[in-house]
Amino acid sequence: MRLNGKMYIASASSTVKIHDFPNNQLLHTHVPTNQFDHACRSLSWAKDGNWLAVVPYSGCTEIVSVRGQCKLLHTVNKICEPSCASFPNLSKKTIAVGSKIGQVLIYDIKAKSIKGRFPRAGSAITHVGFTAKDTHCYAGCEDGKVMLYNSVAKNLSGTWKVPKSSSLTALKAHVERQNFLIGGSNEGIVGVWDVNFNKTKFHIDAHYAPVSAVLFSPVNAVLIVSAGLDRTVQVFDIEARCKISTIPVDNNVLSLDFLENSLYIAMGCQNGKILIYDTRQLQAPVHTYEAHSSSIKHLTYQKSASSSTSSTFLCSADVAEENRSPSNSASNEEIEVKATTSDFLGLVDEQSLLQSEILDASKQTNAGVKSGGDSFLKALGWVESDTIESAKEESKCLEQVDGNKELQHEPRRSINNFTPKPSRLPPRISAISKQNLDVLPTSSTPNLLKVSTNDCHSQISPIINGNQNPTNGNLSAASVSEMIDSARQTMQAEMKNMFEEVERKMIYKLYNHTCSIRQLMFDFQLENLKQFIKVKENFDVVIEEINSKAMSDESNMMAEQIYNLTMRNKELERQLAAYQRE
């Protein structure tokens, strides 16, 4: 997002500073309400880049506007002792806030109220964020556990720990692939969690000291970057399971983020400097400037609105693994591309660039497989391949049946035994092979097909039996043979046309039934969600009533005790005065 033609880098130590990139000019400085010499706990940009969520070392979460002037918009007073906060990737109406008591809450900024709660963790929350498309919310805990919550159902989907570790120092989600999380630990280990299979996809002893920051490459799904307190920044390939490169740094790097178009990577250092490297040439930083007087614990770039969908260098294998749709490989032309197709780290040649361009062209011709779709279906966790792709493949199936003129049909001895082989129901309808049209029950055969082959031969049977011509009563054997061949060809053509008509009608009917079932399933899921929301609202009302009643009873009891103590005090004063008079 460009505001007034500028792109911002936000960095946080004890204060938050916003610099213009690439001019490296200081534009705004935000001082938290409760300022301490300790670094802020969290920093997060909103979707449109106008707001910034800041969690100071002590105090409530603050929503800061950077549009025009830097000013405090709102303070989240209803959540005590926050430890981290994050905006969703697709909305700025709500914010996820983690607390020191293990709570992860969804706060509605406009309504100024808590909108949802996730199950409580066993220790303080140190990291919070959302996966791509906001289908899940993740939270990192002080005891090293990573919690994954469903954003709609508000329940726990899974847990994970960095292998061979009992701590968690860094946690990030992939900006494109919603099934990948990366974490680092005090033991110097970096691990990647595949949430679809609930298993560790990759882990490595990356550093000799605690890991301070981790990051996925936005332009290549197999590359990750990690920084440690051993003054090294490492780049790994999670598919090849090897180290790609080491970026030289003079000071410990505590925070990382990619800049515009992922051509640059920004690093926040322990000495308060910000280093910016060109990913195509990592020998030395192209920009260096003093941002803070103390350690930069958090650094984040104001991403554009299209950055979440701008990964044009993903290889075809990654796209196939993300969609996990067998019909994609069957219906679309496969294009082989190397695992590393970006010019990130200078690992690309002209051939791989050409292959990536071919892949981009193929994606544009695939009629929007990666289009936005229905946000409600995304919130329910339904994959686009079950809606958009399946509908397209069904239409392709029908076109293939109508336009396939080269299928050869063997003569059938009995039309009454005609039966198509049943195909699989949604989400996809496969074309019915014309070679399997020989097992249909008689009850499902149209009336126009219930014709006996003997009736078809009855017109020429007198000729065969008596060798007579209906007109002149005298025919040669050659003439009889020609007439038989002609009758046979005519009958075969008519049977072929009848088979094609029945086949087409059956496919259309099956397609209509499939659409009806899909609509019913959608309505059922929608009704279930409505009922769940209604029950949740009633439950919240009951909890609030119970809490208010308990507080009211407690206040009444305390008032009664105060009254009794006051009366007792007055009684003692009277007794003391009488004793003094005596």
Side-chain angles (χ1 to χ4, degrees):
M1 174 67 67
R2 294 174 178 262
L3 296 179
N4 301 325
K6 300 176 181 178
M7 296 168 287
Y8 295 161
I9 299 176
S11 56
S13 58
S14 58
T15 59
V16 178
K17 293 186 178 181
I18 300 173
H19 291 81
D20 176 20
F21 177 78
N23 299 326
N24 305 330
Q25 178 184 359
L26 179 62
L27 300 178
H28 304 294
T29 300
H30 173 70
V31 180
T33 304
N34 299 325
Q35 184 182 13
F36 292 87
D37 287 335
H38 299 279
C40 295
R41 297 182 181 273
S42 178
L43 198 63
S44 175
W45 282 109
K47 172 190 174 183
D48 58 0
N50 292 331
W51 293 357
L52 195 65
V54 180
V55 179
Y57 181 79
S58 178
C60 299
T61 305
E62 299 177 354
I63 308 297
V64 180
S65 173
V66 297
R67 188 179 181 86
Q69 297 179 352
C70 184
K71 58 183 178 180
L72 179 63
L73 289 180
H74 179 62
T75 301
V76 184
N77 295 317
K78 292 191 176 183
I79 301 179
C80 301
E81 297 185 345
S83 57
C84 51
S86 176
F87 278 104
N89 297 313
L90 305 178
S91 172
K92 59 181 289 187
K93 298 179 181 179
T94 59
I95 184 173
V97 181
S99 68
K100 300 176 185 177
I101 59 176
Q103 287 184 324
V104 180
L105 309 172
I106 302 298
Y107 182 80
D108 192 321
I109 300 176
K110 183 177 180 180
K112 298 182 180 180
S113 62
I114 297 175
K115 184 179 180 181
R117 303 170 185 266
F118 294 109
R120 182 177 299 213
S123 61
I125 305 297
T126 56
H127 303 81
V128 70
F130 291 87
T131 60
K133 304 179 184 178
D134 297 338
T135 56
H136 291 82
C137 175
Y138 64 86
C141 304
E142 197 173 36
D143 59 1
K145 185 178 294 186
V146 179
M147 318 285 286
L148 186 68
Y149 302 105
N150 188 289
S151 298
V152 178
K154 300 294 188 296
N155 59 353
L156 182 64
S157 299
T159 59
W160 177 73
K161 274 192 173 184
V162 178
K164 305 177 184 179
S165 304
S166 59
S167 60
L168 183 71
T169 57
L171 184 64
K172 282 284 187 179
H174 200 287
V175 296
E176 288 285 342
R177 302 182 62 174
Q178 55 189 349
N179 60 318
F180 278 172
L181 292 176
I182 181 173
S185 67
N186 277 326
E187 291 77 9
I189 297 176
V190 174
V192 176
W193 181 27
D194 189 340
V195 301
N196 284 352
F197 296 97
N198 194 21
K199 68 176 184 180
T200 301
K201 180 177 179 63
F202 168 83
H203 74 277
I204 192 171
D205 294 332
H207 301 274
Y208 297 104
V211 178
S212 56
V214 290
L215 198 62
F216 280 103
S217 168
V219 297
N220 196 314
V222 302
L223 295 183
I224 60 174
V225 184
S226 68
L229 298 184
D230 55 355
R231 295 193 176 186
T232 60
V233 177
Q234 310 282 4
V235 183
F236 300 95
D237 188 326
I238 63 176
E239 293 292 343
R241 298 182 177 274
C242 63
K243 182 171 69 174
I244 298 298
S245 177
T246 299
I247 304 176
V249 291
D250 297 331
N251 202 269
N252 287 330
V253 174
L254 305 182
S255 52
L256 295 168
D257 199 9
F258 282 98
L259 304 187
E260 183 185 22
N261 298 327
S262 301
L263 294 179
Y264 300 94
I265 181 172
M267 306 179 185
C269 299
Q270 194 172 11
N271 58 4
K273 290 184 179 181
I274 293 180
L275 309 178
I276 298 178
Y277 284 79
D278 190 330
T279 57
R280 297 163 294 185
Q281 187 177 4
L282 297 171
Q283 285 73 19
V286 294
H287 298 283
T288 302
Y289 56 93
E290 302 252 356
H292 297 267
S293 58
S294 58
S295 301
I296 301 177
K297 290 292 185 68
H298 303 282
L299 182 146
T300 177
Y301 174 68
Q302 184 189 47
K303 299 175 176 61
S304 62
S306 61
S307 63
S308 61
T309 58
S310 62
S311 178
T312 59
F313 297 100
L314 288 176
C315 58
S316 61
D318 299 330
V319 176
E321 182 178 354
E322 175 70 16
N323 291 334
R324 303 189 184 281
S325 173
S327 63
N328 280 347
S329 59
S331 61
N332 299 334
E333 182 180 0
E334 296 182 357
I335 302 176
E336 296 182 358
V337 181
K338 295 181 180 179
T340 306
T341 58
S342 138
D343 59 353
F344 181 71
L345 303 174
L347 297 177
V348 74
D349 52 12
E350 295 181 358
Q351 182 179 0
S352 60
L353 282 176
L354 179 60
Q355 290 174 339
S356 65
E357 293 176 359
I358 296 174
L359 176 62
D360 295 339
S362 67
K363 290 181 180 179
Q364 295 177 0
T365 57
N366 282 339
V369 171
K370 303 292 283 184
S371 62
D374 194 339
S375 60
F376 177 75
L377 294 179
K378 292 181 181 179
L380 292 177
W382 290 11
V383 185
E384 293 180 11
S385 60
D386 291 337
T387 56
I388 300 175
E389 293 182 10
S390 59
K392 291 178 179 178
E393 290 173 6
E394 290 164 5
S395 61
K396 287 182 179 179
C397 169
L398 298 179
E399 293 175 0
Q400 181 180 3
V401 171
D402 292 338
N404 192 356
K405 302 299 184 181
E406 298 180 357
L407 292 177
Q408 299 295 331
H409 296 270
E410 297 179 357
R412 270 68 172 182
R413 295 186 178 181
S414 175
I415 305 178
N416 296 327
N417 293 330
F418 165 75
T419 299
K421 184 177 180 180
S423 60
R424 297 183 63 183
L425 287 177
R428 297 172 184 88
I429 303 177
S430 60
I432 301 177
S433 175
K434 288 183 169 56
Q435 282 76 13
N436 296 325
L437 303 181
D438 50 353
V439 222
L440 183 66
T442 308
S443 58
S444 62
T445 307
N447 294 331
L448 61 93
L449 290 181
K450 294 183 178 181
V451 182
S452 175
T453 53
N454 296 329
D455 297 338
C456 300
H457 289 281
S458 60
Q459 297 179 359
I460 60 174
S461 56
I463 303 175
I464 300 175
N465 296 331
N467 291 331
Q468 294 181 357
N469 191 343
T471 56
N472 54 16
N474 187 13
L475 275 179
S476 64
S479 300
V480 172
S481 177
E482 290 178 0
M483 294 178 63
I484 293 176
D485 292 339
S486 176
R488 183 183 293 110
Q489 292 177 1
T490 303
M491 184 174 61
Q492 289 179 354
E494 292 178 356
M495 291 174 64
K496 179 179 178 180
N497 294 334
M498 288 189 293
F499 287 146
E500 291 178 351
E501 182 68 20
V502 171
E503 187 178 19
R504 188 180 298 108
K505 288 182 179 180
M506 292 184 64
I507 291 178
Y508 281 133
K509 192 172 183 179
L510 185 59
Y511 175 74
N512 291 333
H513 288 316
T514 302
C515 294
S516 301
I517 293 174
R518 180 178 298 167
Q519 183 64 34
L520 290 175
M521 292 298 295
F522 179 81
D523 295 340
F524 176 74
Q525 191 76 4
L526 180 61
E527 186 63 28
N528 282 345
L529 181 61
K530 290 180 179 179
Q531 293 298 327
F532 174 80
I533 295 174
K534 185 177 180 180
V535 171
K536 183 66 170 57
E537 291 176 352
N538 294 335
F539 179 76
D540 292 339
V541 171
V542 171
I543 292 298
E544 291 179 0
E545 290 179 356
I546 293 175
N547 292 337
S548 61
K549 185 177 180 180
M551 293 178 62
S552 177
D553 295 341
E554 185 177 356
S555 61
N556 293 336
M557 186 180 299
M558 293 178 63
E560 185 177 356
Q561 292 178 357
I562 293 173
Y563 176 76
N564 294 334
L565 291 174
T566 303
M567 298 302 295
R568 178 63 177 165
N569 188 24
K570 290 181 179 180
E571 181 65 24
L572 292 175
E573 288 178 355
R574 285 196 299 269
Q575 292 179 4
L576 180 60
Y579 177 76
Q580 289 177 354
R581 285 195 298 270
E582 294 177 357

